[in-house]
Amino acid sequence: MIATLAFLGLTIDSHRQFPKLTNAQNITPAVTHGKDVWHKYNCINCHTLFGEGAYYAPDLTKIAQHRGAEYLKAYMKDPSKFYDEQRHRRLMPKQDLTDVEIADLVSFLDWVSKVDNQGWPPRPILVTGAGVGPMGVLQAAAGSAPPPGAPPAGADKSPIALGEVVFREAMPACAACHSLLPGAQMAGPSLAGVATRAQETVGSADYTGDAKDAAAYLRESIVQPSAHMITGAMYSASGVSFMPATYGKDLTPDKIDHLVAYLMTFK
């Protein structure tokens, strides 16, 4: 009897909290239509939301935070531009969604990403290209050495060590899109040697930003990713970088300084 009463009480309390946890006030007609698009194209037959669905493809609960709207729109338009089936073994079909369906599906996924899911599922199948572990932490292949220039995690409280923490724990995590391993291209380009490339970019005639040195370029890339864009269908479209433009608002100046210090070690 006591167990039954406890169960009923917890159930009632859960339903009482659902509107707040799900940000129900943000369920717009576009979000509702996006949910219908999700079901119309049977996305759940391959993907999961909140760990529910098929496990053939990655969980998309937080995909809007990990990738951003512009990336998702371009990807849904033609997945083959992002992943080659022969090289990456990606089997995402081209669904021929309309522009409205794509926009509303992105709205739905954005709403889903902001639901307080209490950390569930604890070990989702993440969208990755290579080198990312189950919690989104960059990992080298089993038995291999750490990426060149990477300091030991948590070794000290130097700006470089603190920058590594930002790289892994910012939202979205830098490690969710960028590898530090040479040649391991993910949603964003590999950052192996990024400090050297940053200096070369600033000195090139094609550079369109305002930075004067490598550190300033890296900072600009973090807070104004569209100031100078890396060419390639996977990285930008219609003059807009796929890298989220929210870090300048979401990260403190100190955290940005630490992240720049960390990236400057990859020469």
Side-chain angles (χ1 to χ4, degrees), residues 37-159:
V37 173
W38 171 268
H39 291 298
K40 174 183 176 182
Y41 290 93
N42 297 312
C43 304
I44 202 169
N45 284 357
C46 292
H47 295 280
T48 56
L49 289 178
F50 307 115
E52 294 294 327
Y55 288 86
Y56 180 74
D59 182 271
L60 299 184
T61 304
K62 298 297 183 181
I63 190 62
Q65 293 185 29
H66 292 163
R67 291 294 188 263
E70 296 304 320
Y71 175 96
L72 292 176
K73 289 176 183 177
Y75 183 88
M76 293 176 194
K77 200 78 172 175
D78 187 358
S80 68
K81 290 184 177 180
F82 292 77
Y83 296 103
D84 177 82
E85 185 173 329
Q86 298 301 317
R87 289 175 51 230
H88 301 99
R89 301 183 66 186
R90 297 292 175 130
L91 302 176
M92 175 78 177
K94 188 172 184 290
Q95 300 280 22
D96 294 321
L97 281 72
T98 68
D99 289 342
V100 172
E101 287 177 326
I102 290 174
D104 290 351
L105 180 54
V106 170
S107 295
F108 170 64
L109 292 173
D110 181 65
W111 173 78
V112 167
S113 76
K114 295 172 182 173
V115 170
D116 184 354
N117 58 329
Q118 307 287 300
W120 187 264
R123 292 172 63 87
I125 304 173
L126 295 178
V127 175
T128 60
V132 175
M135 298 306 291
V137 178
L138 186 79
Q139 297 176 335
S144 64
D156 55 50
K157 297 299 181 182
S158 70

Side-chain angles (χ1 to χ4, degrees), residues 94-242:
K94 188 172 184 290
Q95 300 280 22
D96 294 321
L97 281 72
T98 68
D99 289 342
V100 172
E101 287 177 326
I102 290 174
D104 290 351
L105 180 54
V106 170
S107 295
F108 170 64
L109 292 173
D110 181 65
W111 173 78
V112 167
S113 76
K114 295 172 182 173
V115 170
D116 184 354
N117 58 329
Q118 307 287 300
W120 187 264
R123 292 172 63 87
I125 304 173
L126 295 178
V127 175
T128 60
V132 175
M135 298 306 291
V137 178
L138 186 79
Q139 297 176 335
S144 64
D156 55 50
K157 297 299 181 182
S158 70
I160 293 174
L162 293 172
E164 181 184 17
V165 174
V166 176
F167 184 84
R168 298 185 180 202
E169 297 183 358
M171 183 54 70
C174 309
C177 292
H178 296 283
S179 169
L180 299 176
L181 305 176
Q185 308 299 336
M186 296 166 60
S190 167
L191 296 183
V194 68
T196 299
R197 292 199 306 276
Q199 190 61 52
E200 294 171 350
T201 298
V202 169
S204 73
D206 297 329
Y207 174 59
T208 58
D210 298 320
K212 304 302 181 184
D213 56 37
Y217 170 75
L218 292 175
R219 180 175 286 100
E220 179 183 73
S221 298
I222 294 167
V223 301
Q224 294 178 280
S226 293
H228 178 77
M229 291 176 292
I230 304 299
T231 58
M234 286 187 65
Y235 307 141
S236 65
S238 303
V240 178
S241 171
F242 292 150

